[in-house]
């Protein structure tokens, strides 16, 4: 069992938890992920590592409530335990030799972008962080990003916080104003990453995208997480989760990501009903 | 007086029309009377061809003689000297290519039903024996085992019985390896696997789940920081193969590993499980091995019309005969001498957001004929000109075999492997690194439970010799 030692609600649907998992914390690096199961009937879901504390032996996860498992997870509290928590899986973000990087995060993806920005910042790299959200209420990790970057740009769809517009608008204006990046790292919803990659391709800036497809084991066994990158089939769990964004077939990844949409909606509703019953 | 019946005592089974609606075990097992009657068919040959055909050399005529006498527990003890998993092997071994394939009774008529008798004896023991195994006296030496499949379980069992403190590291959340995620409940009930694992725990074996060796911990750490004196790698062959044809990444194309893991490990067929499974109306399973049969029969139980698409003929199907027979009884349609060339996508040109876009609409195939034998001795399938056709399916399961997972190789310096990933070992299971042994599918590529179990036992002996000789040298 893996104990929840901290729970913090970051916005109405996004929650942060510190989980006691010393072996995972000891090896974790930014860019890697874990797989968890809340209970015996639970699904295995991958979540990218948001932070870790090797001394305390904890791993931080930040998740958005989107389905049955995250709904169940959201109802757990400090002191409760997860049934399974395994990792760190996948390859760590490549940071060697990077001097100036734009980290572009969208929504809950910012939670995953943050440890990458922090690591680069600590290595002495000039980090420009661009974080996009739908609106003011959904903004997360603003201070954390400010502390881990030389420049922080906040974008919202409705202009209720930061500047109004998309992350691609902000990235484009930074590039056009003369900023020269060794690399762009993008983490967020698939359509956002697709458009970030299309933009940087025009400018010829190397771009890495962090993928979060459906998977079961996370060790290369099921092949459910396969993607097409540069015309070749790869497994996000062992070959990634980060890939050259200019080579990823995003349309295929988007199609594959909604395979279970109908069932997931049903299971999520069931989970919600279950909790309503318990509250009563 | 031996029973001279030319045919085996028939195995009682669930009726096909009933069993396609549940996941309960298909074969129900012999009664005591049936087992004794079947055991009497054994002629107790002097040159025991059946034993020669058994990868772990179970003393078959001896245990069968005990069954004939009604001394079932004694029969069990005879099997146990050579096999650690009789209840499993009695169910999943390809007996027709091993013990039963060599049985003299098979020359004229059917061989003795050795597999069914093994299963009977093991089930009898599990049901009637309440005696707990004695905790062996610990010898103070520690061994780490990677993977809790058949190779790891048997290696752990043998070492624990010799007094070693054994820890098994398992990547998934449930121990058992392929016995749990791969082989379905209706062929190998999970309670049987659990019983074997409980038995190991009773011997003092520690099982740590959720630890991926190569990620959470490395082999070098196990040896140099955690104080294990030897390591056995039984990590299996988990990496699924795909054909490399267009359309293989469409929605609705799965590896057999994924499909079976969702069903067997995650219990996606049960209402209370959160794990989803995509069910097609018509499903094609590509391949002809046991895993293909398991996938096809699972899909059938979930209500689909199922085709097994295999490039060679019925005669060449590598699956166990019994599985093929059961699959046919269950209404699975065999499209043999057929090979897929492309998986066709659904595409709605008027609506780019149609959720059906990029899902499977059909599978383009060609017919094959069998030419000259190839390196494997089987006749090579050759494409028949102008035979292209499309099968109307909305889900495809690729069951083309698996290869060893590269995680351990890539994180263990100096561990030599074949170009296809198999770990290179000597006759005792020793790898290119001192103190590190390996066996099962991690060495051979996908093979059988019994071979993996045999390799685990061989390595256990070698590890014992290694640690004892080191100890002597030290003294």
């Amino acid at each position: 069992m893996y104990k929840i030692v901290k729970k913090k609600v970051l916005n109405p649907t996004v929650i942060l938890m510190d989980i006691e998992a010393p072996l995972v914390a000891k090896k974790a690096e930014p860019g890697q992920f874990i797989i968890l199961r809340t209970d015996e009937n639970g699904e295995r879901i991958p979540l990218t590592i948001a932070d870790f504390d090797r001394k305390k032996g904890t791993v931080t996860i930040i998740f958005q409530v989107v389905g049955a498992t995250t709904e169940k997870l959201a109802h757990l509290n400090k002191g409760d335990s997860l049934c399974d928590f395994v990792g760190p899986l996948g390859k760590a973000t490549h940071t060697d030799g990077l001097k100036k990087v734009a980290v572009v995060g969208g929504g809950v993806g910012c939670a995953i972008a943050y440890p990458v920005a922090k690591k680069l910042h600590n290595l002495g790299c000039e980090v420009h962080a661009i974080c996009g959200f739908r609106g003011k209420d959904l903004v997360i990790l603003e201070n954390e990003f400010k502390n881990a970057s030389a420049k922080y740009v906040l974008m919202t769809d409705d202009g209720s916080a930061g500047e109004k517009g998309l992350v691609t608008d902000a990235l484009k204006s930074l590039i056009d104003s003369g900023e020269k990046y060794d690399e762009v790292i993008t983490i967020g919803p698939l359509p956002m990453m697709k458009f970030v990659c299309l933009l940087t391709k025009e400018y010829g800036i190397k771009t890495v995208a962090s993928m979060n497809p459906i998977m079961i084991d996370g060790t290369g066994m099921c092949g459910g997480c396969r993607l097409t990158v540069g015309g070749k089939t790869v497994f996000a769990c062992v070959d990634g989760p980060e890939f050259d964004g200019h080579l990823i077939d995003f349309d295929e990844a988007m199609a594959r990501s909604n395979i279970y949409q109908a069932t997931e909606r049903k299971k999520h509703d069931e989970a919600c009903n279950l909790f309503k019953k318990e509250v009563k | 007086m031996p029973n001279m019946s030319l045919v085996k005592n028939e195995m009682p089974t669930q009726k096909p029309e009933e069993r396609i609606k549940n996941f309960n075990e298909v074969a129900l097992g012999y009664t005591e009377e049936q087992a004794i009657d079947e055991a009497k068919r054994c002629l107790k040959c002097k040159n025991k061809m059946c034993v020669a055909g058994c990868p772990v050399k179970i003393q078959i005529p001896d245990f069968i003689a005990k069954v004939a006498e009604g001394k079932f527990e004694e029969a069990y003890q005879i099997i146990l000297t050579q096999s650690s998993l009789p209840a499993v092997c009695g169910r999943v071994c390809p007996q027709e290519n091993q013990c039963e394939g060599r049985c003299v009774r098979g020359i004229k008529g059917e061989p003795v039903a050795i597999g069914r008798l093994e299963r009977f004896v093991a089930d009898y023991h599990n049901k009637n024996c309440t005696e707990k195994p004695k905790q062996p006296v610990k010898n103070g030496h520690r061994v780490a085992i990677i993977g809790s499949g058949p190779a790891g379980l048997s290696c752990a069992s043998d070492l624990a019985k010799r007094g070693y403190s054994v820890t098994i590291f398992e990547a998934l959340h449930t121990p058992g390896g392929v016995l749990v995620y791969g082989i379905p409940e209706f062929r190998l009930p999970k309670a049987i696997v659990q019983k074997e694992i409980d038995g190991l725990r009773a011997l003092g074996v520690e099982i740590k789940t959720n630890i991926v060796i190569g990620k959470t911990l490395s082999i070098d750490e196990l040896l140099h920081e955690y104080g294990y004196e030897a390591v056995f790698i039984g990590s299996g062959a988990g990496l699924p193969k795909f054909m490399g044809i267009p359309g293989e990444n469409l929605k609705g194309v799965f590896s057999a590993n994924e499909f079976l893991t969702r069903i067997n490990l995650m219990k996606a067929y049960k209402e209370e499980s959160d794990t989803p499974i995509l069910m097609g109306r018509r499903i094609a399973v590509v391949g002809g091995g046991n895993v293909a049969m398991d996938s096809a029969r699972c899909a059938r139980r979930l209500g689909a019309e199922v085709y097994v698409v295999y490039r060679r003929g019925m005669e060449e199907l590598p699956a166990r005969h019994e599985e093929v027979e059961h699959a046919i009884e269950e209404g699975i349609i065999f499209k043999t001498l057929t090979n897929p060339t492309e998986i066709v996508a659904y595409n709605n040109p008027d609506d780019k957001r149609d959720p059906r876009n990029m899902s499977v609409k059909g599978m383009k195939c060609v017919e094959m004929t069998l030419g000259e034998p190839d390196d494997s001795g089987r006749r090579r399938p050759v494409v028949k000109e102008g035979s292209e056709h499309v099968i109307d399916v909305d889900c495809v399961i690729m069951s083309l075999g698996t290869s060893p997972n590269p995680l351990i190789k890539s994180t263990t310096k100096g561990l030599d492997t074949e170009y296809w990933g198999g770990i290179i070992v000597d006759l005792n299971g020793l790898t290119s690194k001192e103190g590190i042994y390996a066996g099962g599918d991690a060495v051979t590529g996908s093979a059988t439970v019994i071979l993996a179990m045999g390799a685990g036992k061989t390595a256990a002996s070698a590890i014992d010799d290694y640690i004892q000789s080191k100890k002597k040298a030290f003294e």
Side-chain angles (χ1 to χ4, degrees), chain B residues 336-393:
Chain B
T336 50
L337 292 167
T338 304
N339 204 29
T341 53
E342 185 188 338
I343 300 162
V344 188
Y346 182 91
N347 181 26
N348 181 351
D350 301 326
D351 184 3
K352 274 188 133 180
R353 313 195 93 183
D354 187 332
R356 290 171 298 176
N357 286 345
M358 294 184 85
S359 61
V360 176
K361 191 184 156 204
M363 186 164 77
K364 210 177 269 180
C365 295
V366 286
E367 287 174 31
M368 313 294 280
T369 52
L370 292 180
E372 293 300 307
D374 62 12
D375 296 344
S376 71
R378 294 180 299 178
R379 293 174 65 196
R380 187 193 300 272
V382 186
V383 176
K384 207 193 266 183
E385 286 295 321
S387 63
E388 196 173 274
H389 60 285
V390 175
I391 312 180
D392 172 24
V393 291

Side-chain angles (χ1 to χ4, degrees), chain B residues 282-319:
Chain B
R282 290 152 70 94
I283 293 189
V285 176
V286 182
N290 287 319
V291 176
M293 296 308 127
D294 287 345
S295 305
R297 296 174 67 199
C298 280
R300 187 81 182 111
R301 280 160 175 73
L302 293 170
E305 186 175 320
V306 185
Y307 299 93
V308 167
V309 177
Y310 179 56
R311 62 194 185 130
R312 291 183 161 98
M314 284 305 281
E315 292 298 306
E316 285 81 16
L317 283 169

Side-chain angles (χ1 to χ4, degrees), chain A residues 27 72 219 222 226 267, chain B residues 210 221 248 255 273-274 405:
Chain A
K27 290 282 172 67
K72 279 183 178 179
T219 63
C222 76
R226 61 196 192 280
K267 295 267 181 197
Chain B
N210 293 331
E221 282 175 296
E248 236 172 345
S255 72
S273 169
D274 288 341
N405 197 314

Side-chain angles (χ1 to χ4, degrees), chain A residues 115-128:
Chain A
V116 177
K118 186 168 99 172
K119 182 173 180 188
L120 286 166
H121 182 73
N122 290 343
L123 287 170
C125 172
E126 184 182 338
V127 176
H128 292 185

Side-chain angles (χ1 to χ4, degrees), chain A residues 91-246:
Chain A
K91 292 180 179 164
T93 306
H94 172 83
T95 49
D96 291 352
L98 297 177
K99 297 273 179 286
K100 186 166 175 172
V101 169
V103 175
V104 183
V108 74
C110 294
I112 304 152
Y114 168 65
V116 177
K118 186 168 99 172
K119 182 173 180 188
L120 286 166
H121 182 73
N122 290 343
L123 287 170
C125 172
E126 184 182 338
V127 176
H128 292 185
I130 304 168
C131 295
F133 301 91
R134 281 206 311 275
K136 185 172 174 255
D137 294 346
L138 302 176
V139 176
I140 56 169
L141 303 175
E142 189 172 355
N143 288 327
E144 285 83 350
F145 268 107
K146 280 181 180 160
N147 290 332
S149 58
K151 193 185 282 265
Y152 172 74
V153 184
L154 174 63
M155 303 295 291
T156 50
D157 293 358
D158 59 3
S160 53
E163 289 170 45
K164 183 175 170 158
L166 301 172
V167 288
T168 39
D169 302 332
L171 181 62
K172 189 173 185 323
S173 70
L174 281 171
I175 298 169
D176 288 343
S177 72
E179 303 286 1
K180 295 228 177 316
Y181 299 114
D182 299 333
E183 194 171 296
V184 172
I185 298 175
T186 180
I187 308 172
L190 289 166
M192 182 205 92
M193 293 199 285
K194 176 183 168 176
F195 285 103
V196 168
C197 292
L198 284 174
L199 174 73
T200 56
K201 199 171 182 178
E202 275 175 42
Y203 288 93
I205 306 168
K206 190 187 168 196
T207 301
V208 169
S210 176
M211 305 298 278
N212 187 19
I214 294 166
M215 55 177 79
I216 308 177
D217 61 294
T219 63
M221 200 184 86
C222 76
C225 66
R226 61 196 192 280
L227 304 164
T228 303
V229 178
K232 282 198 188 113
T233 294
V234 294
F235 288 5
C237 65
V238 285
D239 302 319
E242 295 180 355
F243 296 98
D244 182 336
H246 297 154

Side-chain angles (χ1 to χ4, degrees), chain B residues 84-147:
Chain B
S84 354
L85 305 166
V88 174
C89 293
R91 286 173 166 83
V92 304
C93 257
Q95 288 95 1
E96 66 261 26
N97 305 325
Q98 299 176 357
C99 51
E100 292 183 21
R102 309 276 188 96
C103 177
V104 174
R105 294 297 307 263
I107 298 170
K108 195 180 161 196
E110 288 182 343
V112 175
I114 301 169
R116 293 173 187 175
L117 289 173
E118 183 186 22
R119 169 190 159 145
F120 168 79
V121 165
D123 288 355
Y124 176 89
H125 169 84
N126 283 343
K127 205 168 135 197
N128 297 295
C129 179
T130 46
E131 210 179 308
K132 289 223 170 90
K134 269 182 251 151
Q135 277 260 1
V137 180
K138 293 268 193 248
N139 66 11
H141 297 283
R142 300 173 70 213
V143 179
I145 290 182
I146 303 169

